[in-house]
Amino acid sequence: MMKPIMVDGGKGTVELAAEGILRIVWKPGTVLEAPDVQGAMAKVNELADGVEYPMLIDIANTQAVTRQARSVFSVKCAASRIALLGSSPLDRVIANFAMARRTLPCPTRYFTSRDEAMAWLLGTRLS
């Protein structure tokens, strides 16, 4: 198990979890700007080392995502599929903005349940 790696700018962490899932966790109250998302994607690609993994992005309590940051979400990274995990109506709005791009590089869905997000990422059914 590896330790989470701080994203440049210090607003979040990236890790490759034991289940083989890349995880990005943003700090509560974060306003995501393009360099933050680019930094996270660079760390993700570094960790993945040429392999594609499912990715969980925890956006719970994220305050806002700038338009420039949203455009970075359409850039292909090492994710085979992306689950956006949130908890509030604002998180859903942020996720909908991120997913509104017609050019998402991989399947992307929004979840409020970590278990459902993990099941979808791992391609398993919840019993």
Side-chain angles (χ1 to χ4, degrees):
M1 191 69 186
M2 57 158 293
K3 280 217 242 335
I5 298 168
M6 186 65 69
V7 174
D8 294 346
K11 292 182 185 177
T13 58
V14 174
E15 69 179 308
L16 183 53
E19 314 88 4
I21 289 181
L22 289 160
R23 209 164 39 206
I24 299 177
V25 179
W26 297 109
K27 287 184 179 167
T30 294
V31 174
L32 287 179
E33 298 178 55
D36 303 319
V37 178
Q38 286 162 339
M41 296 305 186
K43 291 276 188 259
V44 159
N45 291 336
E46 204 176 295
L47 275 180
D49 198 21
V51 178
E52 284 197 348
Y53 294 96
M55 181 159 67
L56 180 73
I57 304 179
D58 192 334
I59 60 165
N61 310 315
T62 305
Q63 197 176 321
V65 180
T66 66
R67 187 165 7 146
Q68 290 84 357
R70 286 198 301 269
S71 68
V72 179
F73 281 111
S74 63
V75 175
K76 180 80 177 125
C77 72
S80 56
R81 47 179 32 196
I82 296 173
L84 297 167
L85 180 65
S87 55
S88 71
L90 179 61
D91 296 339
R92 181 176 290 282
V93 169
I94 289 171
N96 285 340
F97 270 122
M99 295 185 301
R101 305 196 66 81
R102 311 257 173 312
T103 53
L104 286 174
C106 64
T108 303
R109 282 181 58 187
Y110 175 77
F111 296 88
T112 53
S113 158
R114 176 177 290 276
D115 290 345
E116 285 176 23
M118 294 295 280
W120 181 73
L121 286 173
L122 295 168
T124 55
R125 297 272 170 268
L126 282 180
S127 47

